[in-house]
Amino acid sequence: MAKLKEFINKRMTIIKLLFVFSVLIFVVRQIAKIIRQVNGAQFKAVLASQTTGSLVLMMGFGFIAILPMLIYDFSIVKFLPTAYSPGYVVKSGWVVNTFTNLLGFGGLLGASLRAHFYGKGATKHQILYAISKVALFLISGLSILCFVSLVMIFGFGIGSIFSHYWIWLLGGALYFPCMLIFTKVNHSDFFNDLSTKQELTMSVGSFLEWSSALAFFIFIGYLMGLPINFAAVIPLFVVANVAGVVSMLPGGLGSFDIFMIIGLGFLGIGRSDAVVWILLYRAFYYFLPFLVGAGLFAHDTGGKINAFLDNLPRIFIRRIAQVALTVFMYFSGIMMLLFATVPNVVIVNQLYIRLFPYSIFFVSHLMNIIVAFLLIGLASGIWSRTKRAFWPTMVVLIISILNTWLNEAFTWRMMAFFAFILVLLGLSRRVLYRERMANSWGTLAFNGSIFVVTFVAYTLVGIAANPHTPLHFDKAYLFPSQAAWLVGFIGLVIALLVLFAINRYLTANRPKWLNTPFDGDRVRHVIDQYGGNENSHLAFLHDKQLYFYQENHQDQVFFMFRKTADKILIMGEPVGNPDKVSAAIDQLMVEADRYGYKLLFYEINQELTMNLHEIGFDFIKTGEDGLVNLPEFTLSGKRHRGERALMNKFDREGYQFEIIKPPFDSATLANLKAISDEWLDNRPEKGFSLGFFDSYYLQQAPIAVMKAADGKVVAFANLMPDGNHEIISIDLMRSSSQAPSGIMDGILVNLYQLAAKAGYHYFDLGMSPLSNVGTSRFSFAQERIVHLIYEYGYKLYSFEGLRAYKNKYVDEWRPKYIAYYRGSSLAFAVLQILPVVNRPRNQVRFGPLKWFSVE
């Protein structure tokens, strides 16, 4: 016997598998036999006869019948050292019990899942003991029902037709008392902390579980209206579950079903009715709760995977939901517009008919047009991730879905699809983080084109539907009536107002830093403390807005920018503390993104371009900055013999170079203004990246002037120090008609010599736009397009002449770039830069409607 026991123990796993496999073969054969006996047409008729109300009730009571199982989980956590919230136990318990119901595998799956959910802070020994104690009571409720069934059969004669199953019922009934006695007489450590109250709690929980399953099964039969004595079903249901437990198949699948189908046949229920009854029971007690449990498990497991992968899966899913929701809203809007514009055309189009069930529909012609543009306008906000778009979208979608559902024939497919849309909306909510939407050219062009195309098409349809016009077609082909067309036309006018109102709502709440007044003292303080760059002096033009980055309420860095469409166009590199530039850019990126704007950097150096490229920017070279190496500059030698001769000529003719320092009196400024106006000859001045004549601006730095022999100023150039004593430059270069040819060279050469003595290293002659861009056959396609502008645009602007003039002095050309958000349109970026850079300085525009002079 000892050898036999050892032999069996070693091969227990194989023996169990053989047993389960044998039972499975038996079950499959019996099910196949039963299915052959089921009348297909009759089965479909019985299934189709169930009302929607009955199915909803079955689903609701099926979920309620699962709840008693949660008592097991509340019992398990009492044996463990870690405290869990009731909500966590309910969620975890639902997952465990619905999985065990459908995929039991002899309790192995339930034990594994409970170890997964309740293993925090507990040892494997503690988890195993807790799960094992509860496992003893899982079928105690079924055991009590076995005893009840024996009493019903042999005491009251109820279900006596199943009396031949007495051995099954007796074996099941003995389990509960034997288990109770065993736990009381066994004094091992395993049962030391198992109190009578806990035993009773788990026994009551088990009894409620099996009783609720029995009650739910009978409730389904009652809703089906089957003519049967439901009391007689109780012993049959208990026996079938005992067989299911013994078979160790998941959920008693097959064994339970065979017993029930055969037993219900003895009670006068046809095979088709019995199969439908069991299918409904399986669907609403096993399958649907399992789907909810699977969703909860996926959420829990997904949360752990998401945390491990640094939140990327969640971001990806929400982004997909947001994009899908936007596509649906645009799609529905366009479908509704098609139906409103040319209804008699689209209703005979097969593609439209196939797509129609996946859109929203209103019976009212006017409402179709208005809601269509509501969806299109709000879709822009969803696409732009604007928080303000969520609740209006929620209201519009729910009203539209309910209206569509009530006015169309109900289908489960439609209900599932609309539920999916609402899920997308819910998932999208966390993606909507922006305070407002900034109008991008792409969105305005797309939405505007939809309205324009609709308006033009609708107008043409109205003309064609009018029998008094030469372009008249059969009006029945295009539109039902002129009256209906007129209503739609009114709807289009209202829709335009709706689009405008939605846009105003979504674009409200501009950030305060867009309206920060100019503060020259703050600019001067940052430059004096940390130094500037070759562009920092342009801040004093006060034609650009400023964004200051602070730490501990101290200005560290500032940006010069102008808003254009949805872009924050930044002029040059940030100015200030070089150690804080990265932090300043990050803060501005976050702030701009929060309000729907994208940063666009103009004329920046290679170092900043590469740093921006690492954080998500693309770039394109737009030109080169010419630098004169001041310590090496000399008029000696062949290179500058022309300039040497010119300077000698100025000396002979008595021209004098002078640096005048601010503050300047009104007479000096008036004299310089006269020279500037004469030089401009009524041509408008530009701003942003170039200076213009402005009294406040000129008062901020010295001015180099060239005087004739009589002491009269004939030319001037204002200095642009960088604040670092490294690079110096000039901005305005203006001369009167009395100035001789080459007077600007005279100013420049004198400045080179003077700046070199003052210790400056470079003189910046400014950028030569579009030069050396796209000259290689391996250059980016965008850069090669820019090169074509350089090659063929000299007739409009002398790019080549500008570079040739500077080249006689320049010792080093440094590249300059535009940096824009990766994924943005380069064409739009360049087109948005050009108006800002080329716009006359007295027509600077801040906001969509406000124009004012910067003087």
Side-chain angles (χ1 to χ4, degrees):
M1 289 297 294
K3 289 183 179 180
L4 178 62
K5 184 177 180 181
E6 183 182 357
F7 176 84
I8 292 173
N9 287 337
K10 286 183 178 180
R11 294 162 179 79
M12 182 55 70
T13 303
I14 297 175
I15 293 171
K16 286 182 178 179
L17 289 174
L18 288 174
F19 173 74
V20 172
F21 188 66
S22 302
V23 172
L24 190 60
I25 292 175
F26 169 77
V27 167
V28 170
R29 291 188 63 185
Q30 292 300 313
I31 288 177
K33 182 179 178 181
I34 291 170
I35 289 175
R36 285 195 297 269
Q37 296 174 356
V38 172
N39 185 297
Q42 189 178 0
F43 171 79
K44 291 180 181 178
V46 173
L47 192 60
S49 66
Q50 309 309 309
T51 65
T52 302
S54 295
L55 294 174
V56 171
L57 283 174
M58 291 178 194
M59 182 171 65
F61 277 84
F63 279 79
I64 293 172
I66 296 293
L67 296 178
M69 295 184 184
L70 301 178
I71 296 174
Y72 302 139
D73 296 87
F74 281 101
S75 299
I76 285 176
V77 296
K78 290 181 179 179
F79 295 111
L80 297 172
T82 306
Y84 295 96
S85 66
Y88 180 82
V89 176
V90 169
K91 183 187 74 173
S92 305
W94 187 279
V95 173
V96 172
N97 291 296
T98 54
F99 272 58
T100 305
N101 251 8
L102 193 66
L103 310 168
F105 295 110
L108 293 176
L109 180 62
S112 301
L113 287 173
R114 286 190 168 102
H116 167 77
F117 285 113
Y118 307 126
K120 183 180 179 181
T123 64
K124 291 183 179 179
H125 179 78
Q126 289 173 318
I127 297 169
L128 180 63
Y129 265 40
I131 293 173
S132 300
K133 288 168 187 173
V134 173
L136 290 173
F137 293 87
L138 291 178
I139 59 172
S140 58
L142 181 62
S143 176
I144 296 172
L145 287 176
C146 286
F147 178 77
V148 171
S149 298
L150 286 172
V151 172
M152 290 177 66
I153 293 172
F154 296 104
F156 298 96
I158 300 173
S160 57
I161 192 172
F162 305 118
S163 59
H164 55 286
Y165 292 127
W166 67 270
I167 190 67
W168 293 77
L169 294 172
L170 180 62
L174 290 174
Y175 175 81
F176 179 59
C178 291
M179 185 264 298
L180 280 180
I181 294 170
F182 177 73
T183 58
K184 293 303 179 184
V185 300
N186 190 306
H187 299 292
S188 64
D189 294 339
F190 182 80
F191 296 105
N192 282 345
D193 58 346
L194 188 61
S195 65
T196 302
K197 180 180 178 182
Q198 290 171 327
E199 290 183 349
L200 290 175
T201 298
M202 289 185 284
S203 299
V204 169
S206 178
F207 179 75
L208 290 175
E209 172 203 350
W210 293 99
S211 299
S212 61
L214 168 62
F216 178 60
F217 185 82
I218 293 174
F219 180 69
I220 292 174
Y222 171 77
L223 290 178
M224 291 177 66
L226 298 174
I228 188 176
N229 179 13
F230 290 108
V233 176
I234 296 175
L236 173 63
F237 183 85
V238 173
V239 170
N241 274 291
V242 171
V245 171
V246 173
S247 71
M248 293 193 297
L249 292 172
L253 186 64
S255 52
F256 169 84
D257 307 83
I258 291 169
F259 269 88
M260 291 304 297
I261 291 172
I262 294 173
L264 290 173
F266 290 142
L267 294 176
I269 300 298
R271 287 288 168 88
S272 298
D273 288 325
V275 170
V276 171
W277 191 350
I278 293 170
L279 281 177
L280 292 173
Y281 172 68
R282 289 286 187 190
F284 293 116
Y285 186 75
Y286 287 89
F287 187 66
L288 288 183
F290 168 78
L291 288 181
V292 174
L296 293 173
F297 181 74
H299 182 268
D300 179 77
T301 306
K304 293 177 180 178
I305 295 173
N306 184 68
F308 179 75
L309 295 177
D310 197 24
N311 210 34
L312 288 176
R314 180 174 296 168
I315 293 172
F316 182 69
I317 290 172
R318 288 174 175 171
R319 177 62 171 158
I320 289 176
Q322 176 226 350
V323 172
L325 179 64
T326 305
V327 170
F328 167 76
M329 292 172 70
Y330 270 114
F331 165 77
S332 284
I334 292 171
M335 291 288 286
M336 294 167 73
L337 287 176
L338 286 173
F339 187 78
T341 308
V342 282
N344 289 356
V345 174
V346 297
I347 60 176
V348 296
N349 184 282
Q350 289 300 314
L351 177 61
Y352 183 89
I353 295 301
R354 291 183 179 181
L355 294 175
F356 182 76
Y358 303 102
S359 65
I360 289 170
F361 172 75
F362 279 82
V363 173
S364 167
H365 184 59
L366 183 65
M367 285 300 296
N368 266 321
I369 295 176
I370 294 174
V371 173
F373 280 105
L374 265 174
L375 290 173
I376 289 170
L378 290 171
S380 303
I382 297 294
W383 176 253
S384 301
R385 309 187 196 184
T386 308
K387 286 192 294 187
R388 298 169 66 87
F390 179 78
W391 286 111
T393 301
M394 172 75 82
V395 171
V396 171
L397 280 180
I398 289 177
I399 292 174
S400 302
I401 287 172
L402 289 175
N403 179 79
T404 306
W405 191 6
L406 294 173
N407 285 288
E408 290 291 299
F410 171 82
T411 64
W412 286 104
R413 182 180 66 175
M414 180 188 296
M415 181 179 179
F417 177 72
F418 286 153
F420 174 68
I421 295 302
L422 293 177
V423 168
L424 290 181
L425 180 60
L427 289 173
S428 300
R429 185 176 187 182
R430 294 295 179 89
V431 183
L432 310 179
Y433 64 91
R434 292 188 174 123
E435 298 294 332
R436 67 186 296 275
M437 180 183 78
N439 281 320
S440 69
W441 284 9
T443 301
L444 288 175
F446 188 71
N447 290 354
S449 63
I450 291 176
F451 182 84
V452 170
V453 169
T454 303
F455 189 85
V456 171
Y458 200 79
T459 303
L460 292 175
V461 167
I463 295 172
N466 189 336
H468 302 293
T469 62
L471 298 176
H472 171 64
F473 289 95
D474 180 8
K475 68 179 181 180
Y477 175 70
L478 287 171
F479 215 83
S481 70
Q482 286 182 279
W485 179 89
L486 182 59
V487 171
F489 188 83
I490 295 171
L492 276 177
V493 175
I494 296 173
L496 178 61
L497 299 177
V498 165
L499 270 181
F500 180 77
I502 291 174
N503 187 266
R504 292 286 292 179
Y505 168 76
L506 295 175
T507 56
N509 193 27
R510 281 166 56 95
K512 293 181 180 179
W513 47 266
L514 274 183
N515 301 309
T516 303
F518 175 77
D519 190 336
D521 292 336
R522 293 180 71 181
V523 173
R524 178 68 66 190
H525 176 75
V526 171
I527 294 175
D528 290 344
Q529 185 172 1
Y530 301 109
N533 55 41
E534 63 270 27
N535 294 310
S536 57
H537 195 70
L538 293 174
F540 295 107
L541 285 169
H542 57 85
D543 69 332
K544 293 172 281 293
Q545 292 162 293
L546 301 176
Y547 178 89
F548 286 89
Y549 170 75
Q550 295 184 325
E551 287 188 1
N552 300 321
H553 304 289
Q554 296 294 321
D555 292 331
Q556 302 287 322
V557 178
F558 71 83
F559 299 79
M560 299 177 288
F561 73 91
R562 191 178 296 168
K563 186 189 78 68
T564 172
D566 63 332
K567 302 294 192 302
I568 299 296
L569 178 58
I570 298 170
M571 176 61 218
E573 297 83 20
V575 181
N577 189 344
D579 297 331
K580 302 297 181 181
V581 167
S582 295
I585 291 174
D586 287 342
Q587 178 175 293
L588 182 55
M589 284 179 64
V590 171
E591 278 291 302
D593 183 63
R594 183 182 168 201
Y595 289 94
Y597 297 112
K598 297 180 176 66
L599 302 188
L600 178 60
F601 289 83
Y602 177 65
E603 283 193 21
I604 57 174
N605 59 33
Q606 186 168 313
E607 180 184 1
L608 179 58
T609 301
M610 293 302 101
N611 291 338
L612 291 171
H613 186 62
E614 291 178 359
I615 57 175
F617 284 78
D618 275 335
F619 59 91
I620 182 173
K621 182 180 176 183
T622 56
E624 294 179 326
D625 210 26
L627 298 178
V628 180
N629 192 331
L630 295 177
E632 297 180 3
F633 177 79
T634 177
L635 289 177
S636 303
K638 293 182 179 180
R639 181 182 180 187
H640 295 300
R641 59 186 177 187
E643 288 73 34
R644 185 169 62 247
L646 186 64
M647 296 302 293
N648 291 331
K649 174 189 172 184
F650 290 151
D651 288 340
R652 290 193 305 270
E653 294 178 357
Y655 284 92
Q656 301 173 11
F657 173 80
E658 185 180 339
I659 297 291
I660 58 176
K661 296 182 179 180
F664 307 115
D665 56 36
S666 56
T668 301
L669 288 175
N671 186 29
L672 297 179
K673 181 71 165 60
I675 295 173
S676 177
D677 290 344
E678 185 180 357
W679 182 84
L680 286 170
D681 193 23
N682 294 321
R683 292 172 299 179
E685 294 186 279
K686 298 177 182 179
F688 194 71
S689 61
L690 299 173
F692 49 82
F693 196 96
D694 178 81
S695 299
Y696 174 81
Y697 175 57
L698 294 177
Q699 291 280 12
Q700 306 307 311
I703 297 176
V705 298
M706 189 69 83
K707 296 181 178 179
D710 59 1
K712 183 179 180 181
V713 176
V714 295
F716 73 92
N718 67 307
L719 301 186
M720 294 178 63
D722 68 347
N724 293 318
H725 221 69
E726 174 73 18
I727 299 176
I728 191 168
S729 183
I730 57 174
D731 190 5
L732 305 183
M733 297 175 66
R734 307 287 163 88
S735 60
S736 68
S737 58
Q738 289 79 28
S741 175
I743 193 67
M744 286 306 171
D745 287 283
I747 291 180
L748 288 174
V749 170
N750 278 290
L751 283 174
Y752 298 157
Q753 295 170 338
L754 190 65
K757 291 178 182 179
Y760 285 92
H761 292 89
Y762 293 102
F763 193 98
D764 185 1
L765 285 175
M767 192 178 77
S768 178
L770 311 176
S771 60
N772 279 0
V773 177
T775 55
S776 169
R777 63 191 182 96
F778 299 109
S779 298
F780 295 130
Q782 303 100 309
E783 291 183 339
R784 301 192 73 171
I785 293 172
V786 172
H787 178 69
L788 290 178
I789 298 173
Y790 174 65
E791 287 291 317
Y792 301 107
Y794 66 90
K795 292 182 180 179
L796 298 177
Y797 188 87
S798 185
F799 296 137
E800 290 180 337
L802 179 62
R803 183 177 177 88
Y805 174 81
K806 293 179 179 180
N807 212 29
K808 63 185 180 181
Y809 295 116
V810 169
D811 298 302
E812 179 182 348
W813 289 100
R814 291 182 180 175
K816 289 289 186 177
Y817 299 89
I818 291 172
Y820 57 97
Y821 270 129
R822 188 172 299 151
S824 298
S825 168
L826 174 62
F828 278 170
V830 173
L831 289 173
Q832 286 164 346
I833 288 173
L834 290 177
V836 174
V837 173
N838 294 321
R839 183 179 296 147
R841 58 101 181 181
N842 61 338
Q843 290 185 345
V844 177
R845 188 180 74 166
F846 293 103
L849 298 175
K850 185 178 180 182
W851 294 76
F852 62 93
S853 171
V854 298
E855 286 190 289

